Each structure stands twice: as structure tokens, then as C-alpha cells.
Amino acid sequence: MIEHQPTSRWIAVEEYLSGVVVRPDQSLRHAVEAALAAGMPPIEVAPNAGKLLKLLVRLAGARRVLEIGTLAGFSTIWMAQGLPDDGRIVTCEYLPRHAEVARANLDRAGLGHLVDVRVGAALDTLRELETEDAGLFDFVFIDADKENNPHYLDWAIRLGRPGTTVVMDNVVWEGAVLEPALDPVNAPGIVAALQMMGEDPRLDATVIQTVGSKGWDGFALALVR
Ligand code: SAH
Ligand code: DHB
Ligand code: MG
């Protein structure tokens, strides 16, 4: 991966905004601490981005959410907080240990009943969801292995419907999208997904660049036509 090189002023402003505007609750603060204590990498979305996910879920009126890449469930908790009481999130996680920490964090947040954590390679889980006829998703958050981003985007469309909202994390990757050779593992998948967002007639998309505790990155927002 590309090293994050956040500047202290970006982080100071992020912390200010987090305290004044974003105001993550105790369950969200605990989820980050539990992930650190479990030795997991600090690669969850920043609090302001998590709150954006919650608000987008609410603005979309989403009832069924699909997440690809759970980690410790930080983004999952944010999105669950934007759902109605009969809402549902299916979240895909490859590592059993991550899924276990996420389940504990979701239960502690009182949101466990809304969330189905599926352990395994997301591409396998997505195929299962299709055969299970799990229903169409209103909102999809893609945030796992970047090599598979174009496949995940295609699955988001297949398991979605016209009007489904798709958000993809890490689409700027410290600027490596301009020079994929800087990160030959991750950058090509990010670039391919961005090209698809611009060219695929099934999508209408934009990207917001972000700075802060997670360095220089970006959030893509796409609407399934
Ligand atoms: N969305 C989380 C962060 C996810 S980090 C948050 O913001 O809180 C990316 C996660 O994707 C890691 O936990 C990693 O184990 C998982 N992952 C990587 N490859 C995967 C795959 N092929 N299928 C499912 N999960 C995968
Ligand atoms: C990594 C993954 C992420 O989803 C992220 O937001 C930051 C870093 C990583 O795999 O390094
Ligand atoms: Mg991410």
C-alpha cells in the first residue's frame, strides 16, 4: 500500500470537526478502540466519512445495505445508525478474526440484529447472495481488496436496482491513480473502477477527494441508472 502521509493540520481540523459536528457516539469510539486493542490496522473510514455514509443511507431512504469489507464494523455501525428499525445490512469480511471483532462491536452498539456478517471472500458471498435471491440492495459500500473493485462495482449493479447508491472508498490512494506503478497491487483496480464509473452507461458518478487522519484519498459516489 501507499504510505499515508497526513499533515498535522489536516488531522487537527478533522478532530475539531469530529468533536463539533460529527460527534460519534460511545459505541463508535469503542469500536475503534477495540480494533486497535485487537491489533487490527487503523484503516476504518474517518469519523466524518462514516457520518457521511450514515446520512447518505438516510437520504437514499435505504432499507437494505450491502457492505464489502467489514474490518471491525466501524463503517457498518455508522450505516446501521442511518437505517430504519426494519433495515438490514449484509457485510462481507474475509478474515474470521475481523468478523468476530465486528460482531462484538455491533452487538455492543445494540445494532447486531440489523447486521448479517458473512465470512469469506466477498466474490463468493456475492454469488451466494444472488443464488439466495437475497433481494435488491438500495445502498452498497465497497471498501475491501482494491484489485477486485471493478468486479465489486459490477456486482453492486447486479444486486442493485435503478436508483441504488454506490459508495467506493480509497479511490485516490495518495494520488497513485495517476501513477499506478507506485502500487501495482491496488492502484490498477482503483483506476479500472474509476474508468467504469465514467464510461459504464449503467452508472452516473463523481469523486470527492479527502484529507485527514487517513491521508490523501477519495470517496466515489455513484448512482445506478
Ligand atoms: N469498511 C471498514 C474498513 C474495511 S478495511 C470501515 O471503514 O470500518 C478492508 C477489509 O476488507 C479488511 O477487514 C479485510 O480483511 C477485508 N477484505 C480484504 N479482502 C477481502 C475479500 N476478498 N473479501 C472480503 N473481505 C476482504
Ligand atoms: C487500506 C484499505 C482501506 O480500505 C483503507 O481505507 C485504507 C487502507 C489498505 O488495505 O491498506
Ligand atoms: Mg477503505
Side-chain angles (χ1 to χ4, degrees):
M1 76 178 266
I2 303 287
E3 275 309 304
H4 287 157
Q5 297 172 320
T7 77
S8 61
R9 280 183 298 170
W10 291 342
I11 296 176
V13 169
E14 180 180 304
E15 283 171 359
Y16 163 73
L17 295 173
S18 197
V20 173
V21 180
V22 177
R23 301 174 64 105
D25 68 12
Q26 175 60 34
S27 73
L28 286 157
R29 295 196 299 270
H30 179 270
V32 172
E33 284 163 21
L36 277 176
M40 292 160 74
I43 56 174
E44 77 284 355
V45 293
N48 56 328
K51 184 83 173 275
L52 178 62
L53 287 171
K54 171 194 168 176
L55 292 170
L56 287 171
V57 164
R58 176 69 53 89
L59 285 164
R63 306 171 84 81
R64 294 186 46 80
V65 173
L66 172 65
E67 177 175 63
I68 303 173
T70 314
L71 195 66
F74 183 72
S75 53
T76 324
I77 294 173
W78 273 117
M79 292 190 287
Q81 290 185 352
L83 280 178
D85 291 339
D86 63 345
R88 190 103 189 115
I89 300 184
V90 177
T91 183
C92 306
E93 174 53 51
Y94 183 68
L95 293 176
R97 177 70 187 135
H98 289 187
E100 199 180 301
V101 174
R103 276 201 191 96
N105 283 334
L106 287 156
D107 288 342
R108 189 188 164 98
L111 297 165
H113 61 293
L114 298 178
V115 183
D116 181 5
V117 184
R118 299 277 188 113
V119 180
L123 287 176
D124 293 337
T125 305
L126 292 163
R127 273 188 287 270
E128 283 164 21
L129 289 170
E130 189 176 50
T131 56
E132 282 166 27
D133 206 7
L136 302 177
F137 291 96
D138 309 306
F139 192 98
V140 183
F141 179 46
I142 299 171
D143 189 21
D145 51 320
K146 313 312 171 197
E147 303 100 290
N148 279 316
N149 271 352
H151 300 298
Y152 295 150
L153 192 49
D154 193 60
W155 273 107
I157 299 166
R158 277 168 73 173
L159 298 177
R161 51 158 174 88
T164 288
T165 303
V166 183
V167 176
M168 183 178 283
D169 193 24
N170 308 114
V171 298
V172 170
W173 208 245
E174 302 286 340
V177 286
L178 292 187
E179 208 176 336
L182 287 174
D183 184 350
V185 173
N186 297 295
I190 298 169
V191 168
L194 289 173
Q195 264 165 346
M196 187 173 161
M197 284 189 198
E199 289 169 7
D200 193 308
R202 300 171 299 174
L203 295 170
D204 201 11
T206 189
V207 172
I208 298 297
Q209 290 193 78
T210 55
V211 293
S213 60
K214 308 300 168 179
W216 174 29
D217 221 319
F219 236 41
L221 175 66
L223 180 70
V224 178
R225 294 190 205 256

